[in-house]
Amino acid sequence: MFKLLLTLVIVFTNTIFVYSNHHTNTKNNVVFLKKQHFALNKKHYDDTIKPVGDTVRFADDSIKFAGDTIKKVPKVDSVSYKKSDMAFDYPVYYDAEDSLLFDFQKKKAYLYGKAVVTYESVVLNSAFIEMDFDNNEVFAFGLTDSTGALTGKPSFKDGEEEFEADTIRYNFRTKKGIIKEVMTEFEGSYLHGSKTKMQPNKDVHMINGKFTTCDLDHPHYYFSISKAKVIPNDKIVSGPAYLVIEDIPTPLGIPFGFFPNTKGGSSGLILPEFGSEDSRGYFLKNGGYYWAINDNIDLTVIGDIFSKGSWGMGILTNYKVRYKYSGSVSFKYGSNKYGYRNINQQKESNYSLQWKYTQDPKMRPNSTFSANVNISSSKFDRYNNSYNIGNALTTNKQSSIAYSKVFANSPFSITGAIRHNQNNSTGAINLTLPDISFNMSRIYPFKRKVKVGESKIYEKIGVSYTMNLTNQISTSDSTFFDIGFNNITNGISHKIPISTSAKFLKFTTITPSFNYTERWYLKSFQQSWGYATAEDTVETLNSQYISQFSRAWDYNTGVNWSTQIYGTFNFKKGSLKAIRHVVTPSVSFSYLPDFGKEKYGYYDDYSRIQYNSNTGQYDTVSTIYSRFTGLPYGSPSRGGAGSLNFNIGNNLEMKLRNKGDTVTTDKKIKLLESLSFSTSYNIMADSLNWAPVAVSGRTKIKFLDLSFNANLDPYAYAISPYDSTKAYRINTTSFSENGKLVRLTTANITAGFSLNSKSFQSPENNSNASAYETLYGNPAMYVDFNVPWNVRVNYSLGYAKPYMTSTIRQTLNVSGDFNLTKKWKISFTSGYDLVKKAATPTSIDVYRDLHCWEASLHLVPFGTYRSYMFQINVKASMLKDLKLVKRGSFYDNLFNGY
């Protein structure tokens, strides 16, 4: 109906009326409409538009003519139209919260109060909008309120493009526009322009502009540019520009600017970092080129150069295919020279290779492939990553490339892997190339297909199978490419475990088991005592591997019995309601035959003459060794074992009554989360039958976490007659030797707690009223616990005395962070070695949020790795090279004196 009324208004330009009791001047041919929504369509202006029934009627008394006494609108029959020049190609929808004013002579409409105009994908919002129907144009600007503040600034949106300005003039037909004082967002960056022209292809030309990543109307910093061109989803090109910080121009300027403006990555130069070190001199680091190859892969090439001859280079690529896989590859090489040329200069080369690959689970549901490779020279992290104390202290590196597959609708699966383990302290490298495992999950071969009644004990017999194949290489980083026969070991292992379980006396469970293991090797180990060559004059121990097929098998069997015993002590009075004690005892027996007997051929021996300092004579000493020493799956055990294993687990809890609330349940408190004792007795051994008693436990006292463990040996020890620094256990009880029932060999206690800003708060303390009462009632007692903070304290005490010499280890570590304000954050980690009386590695980090900038300080105040790094930089990744860095590397500490 409103569309029809609007059509009549446009056609009968000589008919003037006022809608909703708002009178207007009839001489100016103006219509003033109040708070309605309209749509203009080409259909309403073309040749002939026939109203329904060829009749248009106005509602009685709803419209009054200015200066007329006619109360009712005359009925109009057979209305004819002529073609209008105000024709749009698509519907134009517009609305205004306050009022809508039409000027038919000028063919314009004026929209007041939260006005909106929509044409195709273009949406224009403003406090005021002027529509020119002759020129298909809109003009929008904000209005000042009663306080003089500008409100309702126009905002323009066309698809994904959106901006706000002081004034906007836009032509719907040509799609051109002129905008003043505009701020446009492009992928996290903002472009301000005093005068801007919009082209039909959506290119933007502007003069007197500002480029920044600060989202404020008055940015903290910007590049002041004389003129610029914006190509959407491509780039921003500017003329001469200079950096302005807090409205202060800086001497940092460029003859022209080129800023990426794409949703994906964009290629470009990476600016190097400038600095200096005492050992390597002035440097330019991490400079290079970034190449955005396509949406799936990129490439970064960087390099370092030092004034004293050191240099480095690196290649990094990231790749990702959606729903398939993702990962990265990185290779770095560094050549370091330190010291003075022609005097004491030393050279050292280091390398690092990293590869990560992650398969998306949707790619192959029944199989996975993954890679996490981290290989480097032993000193790479220490010297080439000398700004990171965590990397410098790294001693072990591990790598793995793995593939696994589960065969659908079967118990079988297979896994293949390549593994790498490296010790940076010793330089030792262990490679597993490859490691293959074939598995059959547990099956029940005697289980009936159709269950009738309860299951029989033999139906619960389960069998599984595992086959492992491995090939291991032991070398070092210095001899990595010089691998010999003795560095390679391999083998195949077969394991078949069989077990079942059954209830015994209703409340206990018995679990018998049988395990068979077989090993296949392609070499065997041999040792002898004598002259290695005919020229040798001193006998030595000669060890070697002999290439031959070897087979070793063994088996063991056992049975386990376990149950749980509950004891509850109830209290009728007081806050303590009950104490519950749960005891979990278990007894198991395992039998392993003696596979060290000569008939198995798994062990051999050699003899040598050794001087006995106690008797002053030479004795013949025979040493037994395994023919499978150093091979992957070891050797069957020698001596046999028939062990009775005992374990008692304990859990202690108490329950407190809740007197104040009848709805809330009683409170449970764990006094001891666990306390266990375990030992074993070997019935087949001729001596030293009892194993040490192992004690372990943990509990929590309010916020304090406490754990402990200890080993108690019932036997005494004796000093070796051949070496006074060595000792061994003897078949004499500790009680008969020194009057002590057991001998404490190791003990460890750890205690720790975490506190934060919420630890001491209660609902009353959280209220503002309580805070103000505390502040004004007694200001000295007021502490603002609303400031976020966290503190973690750990204490560790270790004791070890296996024989004569005892050692004690005692450390205290503290770490935490707190926010001085919402924008200030300080974190720290430190500790103290109470035995060495020295501080452990300490670091302090300070962070300041500066809105569109950020500042950070990393400080290691003392020690070998004493260093610092201060950096202030722009947050946005687009301008990540806009930063100021000052650092002091601990690299100079490592080579101080060269």
Side-chain angles (χ1 to χ4, degrees):
M1 184 64 184
F2 287 120
K3 295 181 180 179
L4 189 57
L5 287 174
L6 186 59
T7 303
L8 290 173
V9 169
I10 295 173
V11 173
F12 298 109
T13 57
N14 293 323
T15 304
I16 311 301
F17 60 89
V18 179
Y19 178 69
S20 296
N21 298 323
H22 286 267
H23 298 273
T24 59
N25 190 342
T26 59
K27 295 180 180 180
N28 296 327
N29 291 343
V30 173
V31 176
F32 191 46
L33 303 182
K34 183 74 174 178
K35 296 182 69 173
Q36 295 295 333
H37 179 77
F38 300 95
L40 298 181
N41 193 293
K42 183 176 181 181
K43 174 182 178 182
H44 292 291
Y45 311 118
D46 277 345
D47 300 322
T48 56
I49 300 179
K50 296 180 180 181
V52 179
D54 292 334
T55 302
V56 178
R57 298 180 183 274
F58 293 98
D60 292 347
D61 296 331
S62 62
I63 300 177
K64 296 181 180 181
F65 291 96
D68 205 332
T69 58
I70 300 176
K71 301 292 184 181
K72 295 183 180 180
V73 178
K75 182 167 61 176
V76 181
D77 296 324
S78 303
V79 179
S80 61
Y81 301 90
K82 71 174 183 178
K83 187 175 180 179
S84 172
D85 294 330
M86 300 186 296
F88 288 88
D89 294 332
Y90 295 95
V92 179
Y93 297 95
Y94 52 96
D95 189 16
E97 185 177 87
D98 184 10
S99 56
L100 186 64
L101 183 66
F102 286 89
D103 188 330
F104 294 107
Q105 287 185 347
K106 297 180 179 180
K107 297 181 181 180
K108 291 184 179 181
Y110 306 94
L111 288 70
Y112 293 88
K114 294 185 178 180
V116 57
V117 175
T118 303
Y119 180 76
E120 295 184 82
S121 62
V122 175
V123 179
L124 178 63
N125 292 273
S126 182
F128 172 80
I129 299 178
E130 175 188 314
M131 297 183 63
D132 187 335
F133 296 102
D134 267 352
N135 299 317
N136 295 114
E137 230 176 54
V138 291
F139 177 61
F141 55 86
L143 300 175
T144 56
D145 58 13
S146 58
T147 64
L150 183 63
T151 61
K153 294 176 63 175
S155 64
F156 180 92
K157 183 176 181 181
D158 186 3
E160 297 182 357
E161 182 184 0
E162 186 174 2
F163 58 82
E164 188 177 271
D166 283 0
T167 64
I168 296 177
R169 184 179 296 276
Y170 184 77
N171 190 294
F172 288 115
R173 182 173 297 166
T174 63
K175 298 187 181 299
K176 291 183 178 181
I178 296 179
I179 307 114
K180 293 184 179 180
E181 302 301 331
V182 64
M183 185 177 75
T184 311
E185 180 182 1
F186 296 97
E187 296 297 321
S189 62
Y190 299 88
L191 193 61
H192 300 248
S194 61
K195 187 174 182 180
T196 304
K197 291 184 179 180
M198 182 184 297
Q199 304 297 337
N201 61 357
K202 296 187 178 181
D203 287 358
V204 176
H205 298 79
M206 68 169 51
I207 58 174
N208 299 327
K210 302 175 184 178
F211 178 80
T212 182
T213 58
C214 182
D215 59 357
L216 299 179
D217 291 338
H218 190 80
H220 290 115
Y221 84 99
Y222 57 87
F223 285 93
S224 179
I225 53 182
S226 58
K227 55 184 177 180
K229 179 179 180 180
V230 180
I231 304 176
N233 298 322
D234 189 1
K235 55 183 169 286
I236 301 173
V237 182
S238 76
Y242 58 91
L243 180 64
V244 178
I245 300 177
E246 292 293 350
D247 293 330
I248 301 176
T250 69
L252 301 177
I254 52 177
F256 63 90
F258 182 91
F259 306 96
N261 182 32
T262 58
K263 294 183 179 180
S266 58
S267 305
L269 295 174
I270 301 174
L271 298 179
E273 174 190 339
F274 176 76
S276 65
E277 293 178 0
D278 292 341
S279 301
R280 295 184 287 186
Y282 294 98
F283 63 76
L284 291 173
K285 295 190 66 175
N286 298 323
Y289 187 79
Y290 174 79
W291 181 21
I293 301 175
N294 53 43
D295 293 339
N296 303 114
I297 189 171
D298 64 7
L299 178 66
T300 303
V301 179
I302 58 175
D304 308 332
I305 186 169
F306 295 80
S307 61
K308 292 186 178 181
S310 300
W311 62 275
M313 57 83 65
I315 299 174
L316 171 66
T317 180
N318 298 284
Y319 55 88
K320 182 176 182 179
V321 178
R322 195 176 183 184
Y323 303 126
K324 289 188 177 182
Y325 54 82
S326 62
S328 62
V329 179
S330 171
F331 176 76
K332 294 181 180 179
Y333 179 85
S335 176
N336 294 311
K337 293 180 180 180
Y338 42 86
Y340 296 98
R341 187 177 301 174
N342 301 326
I343 300 177
N344 59 353
Q345 190 175 65
Q346 298 185 28
K347 181 180 178 180
E348 190 169 61
S349 298
N350 297 289
Y351 65 89
S352 171
L353 174 63
Q354 295 180 334
W355 174 36
K356 291 184 179 181
Y357 178 96
T358 302
Q359 178 182 306
D360 193 296
K362 302 181 185 67
M363 185 177 177
R364 296 189 183 94
N366 292 326
S367 63
T368 60
F369 178 81
S370 63
N372 189 353
V373 176
N374 188 5
I375 301 174
S376 70
S377 55
S378 59
K379 296 181 180 180
F380 177 84
D381 291 319
R382 185 180 176 93
Y383 299 146
N384 288 68
N385 286 333
S386 57
Y387 299 140
N388 190 318
I389 188 173
N391 288 337
L393 295 175
T394 300
T395 57
N396 286 290
K397 287 190 174 184
Q398 296 180 344
S399 304
S400 175
I401 303 174
Y403 173 81
S404 63
K405 180 176 177 61
V406 177
F407 297 94
N409 303 319
S410 76
F412 301 106
S413 63
I414 188 170
T415 302
I418 299 173
R419 296 186 175 89
H420 153 265
N421 188 291
Q422 176 179 335
N423 189 309
N424 288 339
S425 300
T426 63
I429 296 177
N430 295 312
L431 296 175
T432 304
L433 185 69
D435 190 357
I436 299 175
S437 177
F438 178 78
N439 303 280
M440 182 187 74
S441 60
R442 190 180 179 90
I443 62 172
Y444 299 89
F446 305 107
K447 190 174 183 178
R448 289 170 292 180
K449 293 184 178 180
V450 180
K451 183 179 179 180
V452 180
E454 294 187 2
S455 299
K456 305 296 182 182
I457 187 172
Y458 62 83
E459 291 186 88
K460 298 181 181 179
I461 296 176
V463 182
S464 59
Y465 169 75
T466 301
M467 186 276 291
N468 292 303
L469 181 151
T470 188
N471 184 71
Q472 299 177 357
I473 302 173
S474 299
T475 182
S476 65
D477 56 353
S478 59
T479 61
F480 187 78
F481 299 102
D482 188 18
I483 299 174
F485 176 76
N486 289 336
N487 300 111
I488 302 175
T489 59
N490 42 51
I492 299 177
S493 169
H494 307 269
K495 294 183 178 180
I496 304 176
I498 304 173
S499 64
T500 187
S501 62
K503 289 289 185 180
F504 179 70
L505 298 178
K506 191 177 180 179
F507 299 107
T508 65
T509 303
I510 294 180
T511 305
S513 62
F514 175 84
N515 299 285
Y516 177 83
T517 304
E518 184 163 328
R519 309 163 183 84
W520 295 349
Y521 298 120
L522 299 179
K523 60 167 62 176
S524 63
F525 184 68
Q526 186 181 74
Q527 283 186 322
S528 63
W529 185 267
Y531 300 109
T533 62
E535 292 78 13
D536 290 341
T537 58
V538 178
E539 292 183 336
T540 57
L541 178 62
N542 304 309
S543 303
Q544 63 178 343
Y545 284 101
I546 300 175
S547 180
Q548 64 177 34
F549 177 79
S550 302
R551 172 178 172 268
W553 58 272
D554 65 352
Y555 65 89
N556 65 79
T557 186
V559 61
N560 180 77
W561 172 88
S562 63
T563 188
Q564 282 189 327
I565 303 172
Y566 297 88
T568 303
F569 303 90
N570 296 312
F571 298 87
K572 296 182 179 180
K573 298 181 180 180
S575 59
L576 181 59
K577 184 176 182 179
I579 294 179
R580 190 179 75 160
H581 184 200
V582 181
V583 183
T584 308
S586 66
V587 179
S588 64
F589 173 76
S590 61
Y591 171 72
L592 177 67
D594 182 6
F595 289 98
K597 294 180 180 180
E598 186 178 353
K599 66 177 183 179
Y600 295 106
Y602 298 156
Y603 289 84
D604 206 342
D605 63 356
Y606 65 88
S607 299
R608 64 189 177 95
I609 305 299
Q610 183 170 307
Y611 178 75
N612 191 333
S613 58
N614 294 330
T615 62
Q617 297 179 353
Y618 288 91
D619 299 334
T620 300
V621 180
S622 180
T623 302
I624 299 175
Y625 67 92
S626 170
R627 295 179 53 242
F628 308 107
T629 299
L631 297 181
Y633 303 111
S635 173
S637 298
R638 174 173 166 263
S643 298
L644 276 170
N645 305 295
F646 305 93
N647 184 79
I648 298 177
N650 297 270
N651 176 271
L652 192 63
E653 296 180 350
M654 71 175 181
K655 185 181 292 186
L656 299 178
R657 291 186 177 92
N658 194 335
K659 296 182 179 180
D661 190 351
T662 57
V663 178
T664 307
T665 58
D666 298 328
K667 184 179 181 180
K668 292 182 180 180
I669 299 177
K670 291 184 178 181
L671 300 178
L672 275 176
E673 293 186 12
S674 69
L675 176 63
S676 64
F677 304 87
S678 62
T679 186
S680 63
Y681 182 84
N682 189 352
I683 61 176
M684 294 184 63
D686 55 1
S687 62
L688 303 174
N689 302 83
W690 284 102
V693 178
V695 183
S696 64
R698 72 175 185 274
T699 188
K700 186 172 185 177
I701 304 173
K702 289 189 176 180
F703 54 81
L704 180 65
D705 295 314
L706 183 66
S707 63
F708 55 89
N709 62 78
N711 284 325
L712 308 174
D713 196 339
Y715 294 104
Y717 66 89
I719 299 174
S720 172
Y722 303 105
D723 189 345
S724 59
T725 61
K726 296 181 179 180
Y728 56 92
R729 299 171 74 204
I730 58 175
N731 196 35
T732 303
T733 62
S734 177
F735 183 79
S736 61
E737 185 75 16
N738 52 34
K740 297 180 180 180
L741 184 62
V742 292
R743 182 169 55 88
L744 180 64
T745 56
T746 62
N748 295 282
I749 299 176
T750 59
F753 62 88
S754 295
L755 299 176
N756 55 54
S757 53
K758 298 180 181 179
S759 300
F760 304 102
Q761 288 182 346
S762 62
E764 294 82 7
N765 292 335
N766 286 335
S767 66
N768 292 331
S770 176
Y772 281 115
E773 287 175 6
T774 305
L775 175 62
Y776 292 107
N778 190 354
M781 297 297 295
Y782 178 71
V783 177
D784 185 8
F785 283 108
N786 291 321
V787 175
W789 57 272
N790 296 279
V791 175
R792 175 70 185 174
V793 179
N794 289 299
Y795 171 78
S796 176
L797 173 63
Y799 170 82
K801 189 180 180 182
Y803 299 113
M804 301 88 67
T805 307
S806 63
T807 57
I808 296 178
R809 174 184 50 82
Q810 191 175 190
T811 58
L812 178 67
N813 295 311
V814 182
S815 62
D817 60 78
F818 60 93
N819 290 60
L820 291 176
T821 67
K822 291 183 178 180
K823 297 183 180 297
W824 277 100
K825 184 171 183 177
I826 299 176
S827 60
F828 60 91
T829 177
S830 185
Y832 189 77
D833 192 320
L834 299 173
V835 176
K836 296 180 180 179
K837 299 186 183 303
T840 59
T842 300
S843 65
I844 301 172
D845 291 275
V846 181
Y847 176 81
R848 176 66 163 95
D849 186 348
L850 300 171
H851 188 252
C852 50
W853 289 68
E854 59 186 357
S856 62
L857 171 66
H858 176 73
L859 176 66
V860 180
F862 49 79
T864 304
Y865 297 96
R866 183 178 68 257
S867 59
Y868 74 91
M869 185 186 76
F870 173 77
Q871 177 171 314
I872 181 170
N873 62 274
V874 175
K875 283 183 180 179
S877 58
M878 177 184 295
L879 298 176
K880 63 181 180 181
D881 293 319
L882 187 57
K883 61 185 177 181
L884 174 66
V885 181
K886 181 64 177 176
R887 69 172 88 233
S889 171
F890 59 71
Y891 191 93
D892 295 330
N893 303 333
L894 299 175
F895 296 103
N896 188 23
Y898 279 93

